Amino acid sequence: MAEAPQVSRRSRMRQFFRIASHYWRGRTRWRAWALTAAVLIFVAAQTSAAVGINRWNRWFFDALEKRDVAAVWATTSWLPFLLAASALSVSGLVVSRMLLQVRWRENLTRRLSGWWIADQRYYRLGFLTKTMTAPEYRIAEDVRLAIEPLVELAIGLISAFVTAATFAAILWQVAGSAEFTLGRTTIVIPSYMAVAAVVYAAIASLGAYLAGRPLVARVAHKNEMEAQFRAEMTRLRENAESIALIKGDADERSSVGENYGRVVAAWLRIVRQQGVIALVLNTNGALFPIVPLLLIAPKFLAGAVTLGAVVQVVAAFSAVQAALIWFVDNFVRLAEWFASVTRVDELVEELEALDIGTIMEKDEQIALDESDDGAIHLENLSIAHSNGRVVLADATVSIAKGAKALIAGESGSGKSTLIRALAGIWPWGSGTIRVPSGQTIAFVPQKPYLPRSTLRSILLYPDSDRTVPDEAMTAALQRCGLSYLAKKLDLEEEDWDRILSGGERQRIAFARLLLQKPDIIVMDEATSALDEESQASLLSLFDDELAAATLISVGHRPGLEDYHDQKITLERRPAGARMTSTRLRKSLWRLFRSRSAANEDERPEA
């Protein structure tokens, strides 16, 4: 896939809001609008409570200045009501905000995860892009980091606007105008405190913007390095046994150290930039409480305003100032938020590109169709890699209903890729694969997937809710040499993929086949971890319990031909492998070995 063009920040945010705003447009719109209304109501209530407390301060300090005891007590009697109103509005805002965050994140996570998982996009995405790292982390973590701060920032911005407008009006009304004489000219500045607050906030915001502008790209780079480091550690854990066997500790330690070195370098760039931002913010923090006092002091000394008015003006100026420098106080959070938005948006772009590519290239993809004679037909089938290189060229073959076909060929000839095409998860190529309609198909990979669950659920996977008698499950385990696991059917959930050996996992896959009784079975090296006697025992299932099933299997081990009646050979060539099909004769030795293996007493795997 070609490298995507550089996208502007405005486009990033527009694309993110396009998909995130579905919360207010889809089935959840009534809940979304109700929570939004609740948030706005509590923002208004909180601002009203703040205005009430601001006015209370003026009344209280005016009463103190006049030494009016009755007025002091009368003013004090209002304080509990104001504090209760403030506390309730803040509490209501916190609850409604958190509910909005949780529900919005739930909506977006469900949409993205469903989109990513459906139609094997999680599988195909790895072949189409090398730049998309850790999509699961983008869904699980970056969605949270894009939604939760966004709600808080939006509430903060709305509160800042309402607060600035409300308290600017108070400054206009209480502080009045400022007069000073320059020579013989008297200059009057109306509502000078409000003007001063705006000018001061503009200067502070500009300084923060210039200091923090490089932080956005640096935070995004840091998040990418963190994701790559996590992916490296996950790869190490998933391949722990292989690495330990070949004693690759030193190389892995070096690789992990190198990856984390990039994380540290990214963080150091952020630390340097944070130092510049901190200088601007701390300077502003030091001036913040002093400026309004210096501005109102001349009027107080001249007797133009009371002490209560001074307290009210200083509090109002601080409120306006805090509202107008909202950008300054939140610049770092905005940078981190935008970095997460970018990573979510990149995932959406890749998923959309994948879907658009699928639609545009339908004529160049392998077509999946139905056959009307019960057989599986490959017609003029060519299979290619996602980069266009042909693996299998112009193959035509039929596999009759109930046939047992073995796919053979040298390494790299496209056997496993052919299995993926039969499963419908490998679309690149051309030609047609026809499969009988209405028949169940089971795919058995070399390493069967065992989710963390009970043994019963694993045996029934992916239809874990199906009801199967214990006798049938015990019989399936016994037939596949796993009777010693029967007593563990309903124990607590375990990490069976780690507990069981490779051979036991493959036996579990055959036990699944016995319980599912599929019409078509496709296997890829499904007995590679078993000894020959165990392989003979399990493959004898296709002469007995699973005799009616159509079998397509890939394998290299000697003797596999004895268990099949058709051999499909892939001969590797520069222009793509060539496919040939031959009939195999069922030997008496195969019948004898299958029967004897199936009748042997089962033995736990060593």
Side-chain angles (χ1 to χ4, degrees):
M1 177 177 290
E3 184 178 352
Q6 191 71 22
V7 183
S8 68
R9 295 178 184 176
R10 183 178 300 176
S11 298
R12 284 287 183 209
M13 287 189 286
R14 184 167 56 247
Q15 292 175 19
F16 172 76
F17 284 118
R18 174 176 57 82
I19 185 170
S21 62
H22 181 269
Y23 180 51
W24 280 267
R25 294 181 284 107
R27 290 182 299 177
T28 57
R29 62 184 180 276
W30 297 114
R31 173 188 286 172
W33 285 111
L35 288 173
T36 304
V39 167
L40 294 176
I41 289 171
F42 284 116
V43 167
Q46 187 178 17
T47 304
S48 299
V51 171
I53 292 174
N54 178 266
R55 289 181 177 176
W56 180 90
N57 273 286
R58 177 174 182 173
W59 298 334
F60 182 77
F61 280 97
D62 280 344
L64 287 179
E65 185 181 25
K66 296 176 182 178
R67 293 177 174 80
D68 187 341
V69 177
V72 169
W73 285 111
T75 305
T76 305
S77 65
W78 283 97
L79 187 58
F81 299 101
L82 291 172
L83 293 178
S86 178
L88 288 174
S89 62
V90 171
S91 177
L93 181 58
V94 169
V95 172
S96 58
R97 169 182 61 80
M98 294 184 69
L99 284 174
L100 182 58
Q101 289 172 321
V102 170
R103 293 302 186 184
W104 193 5
R105 179 190 175 190
E106 177 189 26
N107 178 268
L108 184 55
T109 300
R110 287 183 183 276
R111 291 198 70 208
L112 287 180
S113 60
W115 191 5
W116 178 54
I117 294 172
D119 298 325
Q120 294 89 35
R121 292 185 184 90
Y122 58 90
Y123 174 78
R124 290 185 285 142
L125 198 62
F127 292 97
L128 289 176
T129 176
K130 302 302 181 186
T131 60
M132 177 55 57
T133 57
E136 68 284 355
Y137 178 81
R138 296 174 190 241
I139 294 172
E141 188 66 12
D142 281 313
V143 166
R144 181 184 68 82
L145 295 175
I147 293 298
E148 291 183 358
L150 175 58
V151 173
E152 295 174 4
L153 292 169
I155 292 174
L157 184 59
I158 294 171
S159 298
F161 176 80
V162 175
T163 300
T166 302
F167 284 94
I170 293 175
L171 287 176
W172 189 294
Q173 179 183 2
V174 177
S177 302
E179 296 184 5
F180 63 94
T181 302
L182 186 62
R184 296 183 178 181
T185 304
T186 300
I187 300 175
V188 179
I189 302 177
S191 189
Y192 76 104
M193 290 293 288
V195 173
V198 172
V199 172
Y200 181 84
I203 294 173
S205 297
L206 179 62
Y209 173 75
L210 295 177
R213 186 179 181 182
L215 190 64
V216 175
R218 296 185 181 187
V219 171
H221 178 67
K222 179 266 296 181
N223 289 348
E224 183 67 23
M225 294 302 100
E226 293 274 18
Q228 290 184 13
F229 179 66
R230 280 188 296 270
E232 177 75 6
M233 299 296 284
T234 301
R235 181 195 62 78
L236 175 62
R237 176 178 55 81
E238 292 176 346
N239 297 276
E241 182 177 356
S242 300
I243 295 170
L245 288 173
I246 62 175
K247 302 188 185 305
D249 305 41
D251 186 70
E252 292 302 322
R253 185 166 56 250
S254 173
S255 177
V256 168
E258 182 179 345
N259 272 276
Y260 190 67
R262 288 193 284 267
V263 173
V264 172
W267 267 108
L268 290 177
R269 295 181 66 199
I270 290 177
V271 169
R272 287 192 292 270
Q273 198 62 38
Q274 286 276 29
V276 177
I277 295 173
L279 180 64
V280 174
L281 296 182
N282 289 331
T283 302
N284 174 67
L287 292 174
F288 190 83
I290 300 174
V291 171
L293 284 173
L294 295 177
L295 291 173
I296 196 64
K299 299 196 74 171
F300 176 74
L301 295 174
V305 294
T306 65
L307 178 62
V310 170
V311 174
Q312 186 181 20
V313 166
V314 170
F317 185 94
S318 299
V320 173
Q321 170 70 6
L324 293 179
I325 63 170
W326 174 89
F327 176 79
V328 176
D329 292 337
N330 291 279
F331 192 88
V332 175
R333 294 192 68 199
L334 282 167
E336 294 175 343
W337 168 76
F338 185 76
S340 294
V341 165
T342 299
R343 287 175 56 79
V344 172
D345 190 54
E346 287 173 349
L347 175 61
V348 172
E349 282 183 350
E350 294 293 349
L351 292 172
E352 287 180 338
L354 182 63
D355 291 346
I356 292 173
T358 300
I359 294 172
M360 294 177 61
E361 300 171 6
K362 277 290 185 183
D363 294 338
E364 301 177 4
Q365 290 186 356
I366 299 171
L368 300 177
D369 207 344
E370 298 179 354
S371 69
D372 52 9
D373 59 357
I376 298 173
H377 300 281
L378 311 183
E379 299 174 355
N380 301 316
L381 180 64
S382 292
I383 301 177
H385 283 311
S386 56
N387 60 10
R389 185 175 69 84
V390 177
V391 179
L392 176 66
D394 199 25
T396 298
V397 71
S398 295
I399 302 172
K401 181 179 181 180
K404 308 295 186 284
L406 172 66
I407 300 176
E410 62 180 312
S411 179
S413 59
K415 301 184 297 298
S416 294
T417 309
L418 175 58
I419 294 297
R420 298 185 185 110
L422 287 168
I425 62 175
W426 192 272
W428 299 286
S430 60
T432 305
I433 298 176
R434 300 187 186 276
V435 180
S437 62
Q439 296 199 1
T440 57
I441 305 177
F443 292 88
V444 185
Q446 183 176 7
K447 184 181 179 181
Y449 173 61
L450 306 183
R452 181 177 177 81
S453 185
T454 63
L455 185 59
R456 180 185 298 275
S457 296
I458 286 175
L459 287 170
L460 297 176
Y461 185 86
D463 189 11
S464 300
D465 295 330
R466 186 162 53 102
T467 301
V468 176
D470 288 357
E471 296 78 9
M473 303 191 77
T474 300
L477 288 172
Q478 182 175 3
R479 176 64 180 87
C480 296
L482 296 171
S483 61
Y484 52 92
L485 293 178
K487 59 184 178 182
K488 300 181 180 181
L489 279 175
D490 294 304
L491 294 182
E492 293 183 359
E493 294 183 356
E494 295 284 356
D495 189 1
W496 293 102
D497 191 60
R498 179 182 57 83
I499 294 173
L500 300 179
S501 67
E504 287 173 318
R505 290 197 296 268
Q506 291 186 342
R507 289 174 184 269
I508 287 286
F510 279 88
R512 282 176 178 169
L513 295 178
L514 282 175
L515 294 170
Q516 295 171 0
K517 292 289 195 302
D519 300 304
I520 300 173
I521 300 170
V522 183
M523 304 194 308
D524 186 5
E525 303 281 1
T527 61
S528 59
L530 300 171
D531 57 76
E532 290 191 11
E533 290 184 1
S534 298
Q535 174 180 271
S537 175
L538 293 177
L539 292 181
S540 68
L541 291 170
F542 300 109
D543 288 322
D544 298 319
E545 293 93 332
L546 301 174
T550 302
L551 173 65
I552 303 174
S553 66
V554 170
H556 293 93
R557 298 177 67 173
L560 285 176
E561 293 183 3
D562 292 338
Y563 302 94
H564 300 79
D565 46 40
Q566 182 179 1
K567 183 177 183 180
I568 299 173
T569 305
L570 302 183
E571 182 182 348
R572 189 172 181 178
R573 293 185 177 182
R578 176 175 176 269
M579 178 184 288
T580 59
S581 176
T582 56
R583 302 296 299 176
L584 297 174
R585 183 174 298 178
K586 185 179 293 187
S587 66
L588 294 175
W589 171 243
R590 170 191 171 188
L591 290 174
F592 171 76
R593 187 162 61 175
S594 297
R595 298 295 182 185
S596 60
N599 292 330
E600 281 185 351
D601 293 331
E602 62 141 349
R603 295 171 298 174
E605 184 176 355

